[in-house]
Amino acid sequence: MDPTDIPVNVPIDDPNADTEWNDILRKHGIIPEKPPSPTPLIEEALEEARRLAHENRLEGKDLDELAELEDEEDEDFLEQYRRKRLEELSTINAASVFNQVYHLQKPDYSKDVTDASHKAYVCVLLTSSQGTNVESRILIEIWRELAQRYGDVKFCQMRADLCIEHYPEKNTPTVLIYKDGDIRRQLVTLRELEGRRTKTADVEQVLVKVGAIRHGDPRAKREVDATEHTDSKIRRGQSGADEDSDWD
């Protein structure tokens, strides 16, 4: 055997260290090339995130909030956002053709819901058949508020047993969100939200996630911020409280 073919145990303290010895070993293929440091990539990503955050710092702010920033922001930059908000509001007003809760009849369900969902999101609330379900009463009130606020979304309501024969009372209220003829989201009772503590903003967030409400919609922002603040205080001050205590 050629002596040069005999394997040699090369001492290596740290294969990733920047040493002259490791450079020689890498040159001869004894140890692999050192992988590139992730630090520059991380710094580049952080810098890009900071840049985007700065560029979009006015996203979601309404006209009143923009007015409060007149002393802090460039006037031309603010004016751009004012025009953008006014265009958004104009589009919203033009699309607001519903603005009420529609009470459904079973023979018209296909026309008023499935067919209508090809033009707009349609949200159907199936309420308690006995009229005594607390969660149904909560959602009925939320439905009225949302219908008035989001006129470009069609909010409908119907007693569950009149829609689906023998529909279980324990499954009410049920929410069905339609778009383009299909059910995009379904909620059975309020257990996926906050139960009897469910607020309008909680339902708004469901609508945002499904696409019925645009993320950053100025109509939702103030309510969401206020609710998050209130819920935060509740969690801090009443973390051990019974969920049903308000309804005893």
Side-chain angles (χ1 to χ4, degrees):
M1 177 182 293
D2 189 326
T4 60
D5 292 334
I6 300 175
V8 178
N9 289 327
V10 179
I12 305 172
D13 293 329
D14 180 1
N16 292 321
D18 288 320
T19 64
E20 185 177 354
W21 176 241
N22 279 352
D23 289 342
I24 295 171
L25 298 179
R26 292 189 189 102
K27 181 179 179 181
H28 291 281
I30 297 172
I31 63 175
E33 290 294 328
K34 184 180 178 182
S37 170
T39 303
L41 296 176
I42 293 173
E43 290 178 350
E44 183 180 340
L46 288 173
E47 182 59 32
E48 177 67 8
R50 284 192 287 267
R51 183 185 68 79
L52 290 174
H54 181 71
E55 288 183 358
N56 298 321
R57 63 191 180 278
L58 301 185
E59 287 293 336
K61 293 189 180 297
D62 60 25
L63 294 174
D64 290 337
E65 290 169 320
L66 291 175
E68 293 173 0
L69 297 173
E70 288 180 351
D71 295 334
E72 302 174 20
E73 296 287 348
D74 177 75
E75 185 175 345
D76 291 338
F77 187 58
L78 273 178
E79 186 57 31
Q80 279 185 337
Y81 270 88
R82 285 195 190 94
R83 287 198 297 268
K84 182 179 178 181
R85 290 292 169 268
L86 288 171
E87 289 172 2
E88 289 174 349
L89 290 172
S90 177
T91 300
I92 287 170
N93 290 335
S96 294
V97 296
F98 302 114
N99 292 111
Q100 62 176 302
V101 176
Y102 292 82
H103 292 267
L104 299 172
Q105 301 294 325
K106 190 171 184 178
D108 300 323
Y109 193 95
S110 179
K111 174 176 66 73
D112 291 341
V113 176
T114 310
D115 294 347
S117 71
H118 289 281
K119 296 181 179 179
Y121 277 88
V122 180
C123 302
V124 178
L125 169 61
L126 300 180
T127 63
S128 166
S129 303
Q130 300 175 6
T132 56
N133 184 301
V134 174
E135 290 190 357
S136 288
R137 294 204 301 268
I138 292 170
L139 268 187
I140 287 170
E141 291 303 314
I142 290 175
W143 233 233
R144 289 173 183 162
E145 184 177 347
L146 291 176
Q148 293 171 0
R149 187 179 302 176
Y150 300 101
D152 49 332
V153 178
K154 186 175 182 180
F155 289 89
C156 302
Q157 181 179 319
M158 188 175 186
R159 245 177 58 180
D161 62 331
L162 298 180
C163 182
I164 305 170
E165 191 174 359
H166 305 305
Y167 191 76
E169 176 73 9
K170 66 180 181 180
N171 289 348
T172 61
T174 293
V175 171
L176 305 172
I177 302 176
Y178 287 78
K179 186 68 177 76
D180 297 325
D182 296 322
I183 295 177
R184 298 294 180 85
R185 186 75 162 85
Q186 176 177 306
L187 292 175
V188 178
T189 75
L190 297 179
R191 61 174 176 265
E192 290 185 48
L193 300 179
E194 298 295 326
R196 294 181 177 184
R197 296 190 185 278
T198 296
K199 305 290 192 301
T200 302
D202 298 317
V203 181
E204 280 178 326
Q205 289 308 296
V206 172
L207 298 178
V208 168
K209 289 178 181 177
V210 81
I213 299 175
R214 183 179 59 82
H215 182 73
D217 191 309
R219 294 171 293 180
K221 184 177 185 303
R222 289 180 178 275
E223 175 71 15
V224 170
D225 287 349
T227 302
E228 287 177 348
H229 179 67
T230 302
D231 286 352
S232 171
K233 291 199 299 183
I234 290 174
R235 284 192 293 270
R236 288 197 304 268
Q238 303 177 7
S239 58
D242 181 359
E243 183 183 83
D244 295 338
S245 61
D246 291 345
W247 301 91
D248 290 341

